[in-house]
Amino acid sequence: MSTPSGFDELIHPSTRLSVVALLAATEWADFPFIRDSLSLSDSALSKQLHTLEEAGYLEIRKEGGGRKRRTKVRLTQRGRTAFEGHVAALRAIVEGAGATAGTPAAPEPAAARTAPERPQHHAEAGR
């Protein structure tokens, strides 16, 4: 199977995909909000933001000074377009996998999914 058009290797790693998905839902986001929402360390988030900024997918603004300095981040139009293309490519992959697998089998009844009861040995019976 070939990679669908729009698949973006830069966005695909889970941390970057999470960052871009979070930013796609907002205009601007503060660094601490992104960090805490994704449970990342400052250094891990900074590295991902830098990579995405170098690709032109993010704009980063530093406001204020000293202890009041805030870092704000937003997706650029290029980043938004790349994210939307990547999501469409992922959907194409998932839908393509379903089409090649055929019609999915009916789900098993819940009773059939439970583990069979294990016979008790005499040493376990008194527990």
Side-chain angles (χ1 to χ4, degrees):
M1 179 177 168
S2 65
T3 304
S5 173
F7 188 89
D8 192 313
E9 293 284 346
L10 184 73
I11 292 175
H12 191 67
S14 62
T15 301
R16 276 182 269 194
L17 183 58
S18 296
V19 168
V20 174
L22 181 67
L23 292 172
T26 186
E27 182 63 31
W28 286 93
D30 290 324
F31 185 95
F33 172 77
I34 301 166
R35 179 197 61 212
D36 296 345
S37 295
L38 302 178
S39 300
L40 295 171
S41 67
D42 286 357
S43 62
L45 178 56
S46 290
K47 180 179 177 183
Q48 301 307 325
L49 294 179
H50 180 71
T51 299
L52 292 163
E53 182 185 34
E54 280 187 334
Y57 290 0
L58 300 182
E59 178 182 346
I60 299 174
R61 274 195 197 152
K62 301 203 183 262
E63 299 175 345
R67 298 181 63 89
K68 303 251 186 219
R69 189 171 187 135
R70 290 180 21 176
T71 301
K72 298 181 79 155
V73 184
R74 77 172 181 98
L75 274 181
T76 61
Q77 187 56 50
R78 180 179 181 176
R80 194 168 297 280
T81 300
F83 173 67
E84 290 167 359
H86 190 67
V87 169
L90 292 174
R91 284 194 180 114
I93 291 169
V94 170
E95 290 166 3
T100 58
T103 306
E108 260 186 274
R113 289 192 303 261
T114 59
E117 197 170 308
R118 192 173 62 123
Q120 284 189 334
H121 295 285
H122 293 289
E124 294 177 323
R127 289 186 188 176

